[in-house]
DNA sequence: GGCACAAGATGAACCAGGTTATGAAATGAA
DNA sequence: TTCATTTCATAACCTGGTTCATCTTGTGCC
């Protein structure tokens, strides 16, 4: 298993010893996925959190009316946002799908608890990760109110300059909280400028 | 200082020793506030995070156009959501205001770092707190897309059955992401039902 | 290549929610 | 108690975004 990316990611926040590194590697599970594969279905018991080691994935939420809402795109080097696997009821409310071929590294829930017990450094790493995710999530929430759909689309393009070739427009629309038709209009409007 | 509430809050997730408890109490700072007092102004260097020991506060974000967006209400027993104080640049983007008279317990940033160093248990406590906050924040984000303004208002009333006497309607409207006028319409519509 | 089917574009009618304006009621300072 | 200020309600009008229907353009797939 190639764990270079996850290790360098963790190393940005805490310095791991050889022991800690070895232990982490011993509990990670490689999980390759294919383009368009449904990796996790909502309602599943998700006994792990996911690190994207290669490729692209997206997570989405299906509401009562059966409409999907894209919550997150994740590229190489990202954790997937589904944290329900860590709370008492591990049934996830998100589905996760591959947007390309790729590989996940799964960190099982049980292993994670042991990781925290054994090496508090990992607790620190995840504390920091959750904290920055929370800040980002709050900013995104604010933006969804204070920016127009067009501004949000422009921001999206800046944030994911390369990913969009992997993502269908309807999924981008869903991520932005608008209909595909309206995204179409925005794109046309932007071309004319 | 009365730290019963914060201790029982922490105790729900980790068991503190007498030492740990004493240390925490020694670094907490009492900060009383008044109704309508501006406690933190956006742009301030916020060197602490805040625990509501008594009363109600709200945090809001002021956008480029100068419009306020209420991000969070917090009652007794809640941490305030402003985590920028923990990131490298501690200038906050939120303002915080008292909705009633009350008291905050401030946990200074420097003290917090020492707390984590000295007693990893606190790292665990905050890891768990951030994690559950993140889950809640994601749910709120999803709801803002998949529910109508009226449904969100009804949910708000369920979630904060007592707080609304302290909060002006325009702040509730802001929290819900709508105009005060539109909230007015919704309330009228609901009364007629 | 050719067929089937999903994705994107386009346009018209429509609606949830915003904007602006006005007045009434509440709050509060002097 | 008065005057000023803020908040809430109401109503007419406006608009960003939706819905639905049709058409075009991919994109597997055998």
């Amino acid at each position: 298993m190639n764990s270079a990316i996850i290790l360098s990611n963790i190393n940005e926040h805490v310095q791991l010893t050889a022991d800690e590194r070895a232990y982490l590697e011993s509990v990670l599970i490689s999980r390759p996925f294919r383009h368009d594969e449904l990796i996790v279905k909502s309602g599943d018991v998700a006994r792990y959190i996911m690190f994207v080691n290669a490729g692209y994935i997206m997570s989405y939420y299906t509401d009562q009316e059966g409409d999907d809402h894209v919550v997150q795109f994740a590229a190489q080097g990202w954790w997937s946002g589904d944290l329900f696997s860590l709370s008492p009821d591990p049934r996830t409310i998100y589905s996760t799908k591959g947007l390309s071929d790729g590989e996940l590294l799964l960190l099982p829930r049980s292993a994670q608890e042991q990781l925290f017990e054994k090496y508090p450094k990992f607790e620190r790493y995840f504390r920091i990760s959750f904290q920055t995710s929370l800040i980002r999530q709050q900013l995104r929430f604010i933006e969804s109110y204070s920016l127009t759909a067009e501004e949000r689309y422009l921001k999206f393009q800046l944030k994911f300059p390369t990913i969009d070739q992997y993502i269908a427009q309807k999924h981008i629309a869903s991520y932005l909280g608008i209909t595909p038709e309206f995204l179409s209009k925005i794109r046309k409007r932007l071309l004319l400028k």
Side-chain angles (χ1 to χ4, degrees), chain A residues 31-44:
Chain A
R31 164 68 160 88
F33 62 87
R34 309 303 307 271
H35 175 247
D36 223 40
E37 178 181 351
L38 188 59
I39 301 166
V40 179
K41 203 163 109 241
S42 78
D44 282 1

Side-chain angles (χ1 to χ4, degrees), chain A residues 101-120:
Chain A
D101 292 358
E103 184 195 23
L104 300 175
L105 299 183
L106 306 182
L107 177 56
R109 206 184 166 203
S110 52
Q112 193 177 24
E113 272 158 24
Q114 283 165 38
L115 206 58
F116 291 156
E117 263 344 297
K118 238 173 149 148
Y119 303 111

Side-chain angles (χ1 to χ4, degrees), chain A residues 177-193:
Chain A
I178 59 177
T179 56
E181 290 90 339
F182 191 56
L183 178 55
S184 224
K185 272 187 209 173
I186 289 174
R187 285 163 56 85
K188 188 186 173 190
R189 208 190 297 154
L190 289 174
L191 280 177
L192 294 179
K193 280 181 183 168

Side-chain angles (χ1 to χ4, degrees), chain A residues 20-111:
Chain A
E20 290 163 340
R21 207 158 43 228
Y23 186 80
L24 175 66
E25 282 173 344
S26 77
V27 296
L28 288 175
I29 299 166
S30 167
R31 164 68 160 88
F33 62 87
R34 309 303 307 271
H35 175 247
D36 223 40
E37 178 181 351
L38 188 59
I39 301 166
V40 179
K41 203 163 109 241
S42 78
D44 282 1
V45 173
R47 277 175 279 258
Y48 43 77
I49 60 172
M50 304 176 277
F51 181 88
V52 181
N53 204 30
Y56 298 93
I57 62 173
M58 72 175 193
S59 300
Y60 57 97
Y61 165 80
T62 307
D63 69 18
Q64 266 102 2
E65 273 88 49
D67 297 325
D68 291 346
H69 302 268
V70 175
V71 172
Q72 192 206 29
F73 298 113
Q76 191 178 63
W78 295 45
W79 288 98
S80 171
D82 196 332
L83 300 170
F84 282 83
S85 59
L86 298 173
S87 61
D89 178 359
R91 266 170 308 183
T92 168
I93 60 164
Y94 302 133
S95 303
T96 299
K97 193 178 245 186
L99 293 171
S100 67
D101 292 358
E103 184 195 23
L104 300 175
L105 299 183
L106 306 182
L107 177 56
R109 206 184 166 203
S110 52

Side-chain angles (χ1 to χ4, degrees), chain A residues 102-160:
Chain A
E103 184 195 23
L104 300 175
L105 299 183
L106 306 182
L107 177 56
R109 206 184 166 203
S110 52
Q112 193 177 24
E113 272 158 24
Q114 283 165 38
L115 206 58
F116 291 156
E117 263 344 297
K118 238 173 149 148
Y119 303 111
K121 212 176 275 178
F122 287 103
E123 190 99 63
R124 159 169 283 250
Y125 169 71
F126 279 100
R127 193 264 301 163
I128 295 172
S129 294
F130 289 155
Q131 182 181 309
T132 54
S133 296
L134 188 52
I135 291 174
R136 259 206 296 269
Q137 185 70 29
Q138 286 183 343
L139 284 178
R140 200 178 148 210
F141 187 72
I142 288 169
E143 283 177 0
S144 78
Y145 279 115
S146 54
L147 301 182
T148 65
E150 182 171 322
E151 291 167 327
R152 274 178 279 145
Y153 178 57
L154 291 171
K155 273 219 161 181
F156 169 82
Q157 286 188 313
L158 286 176
K159 190 172 166 196
F160 298 98

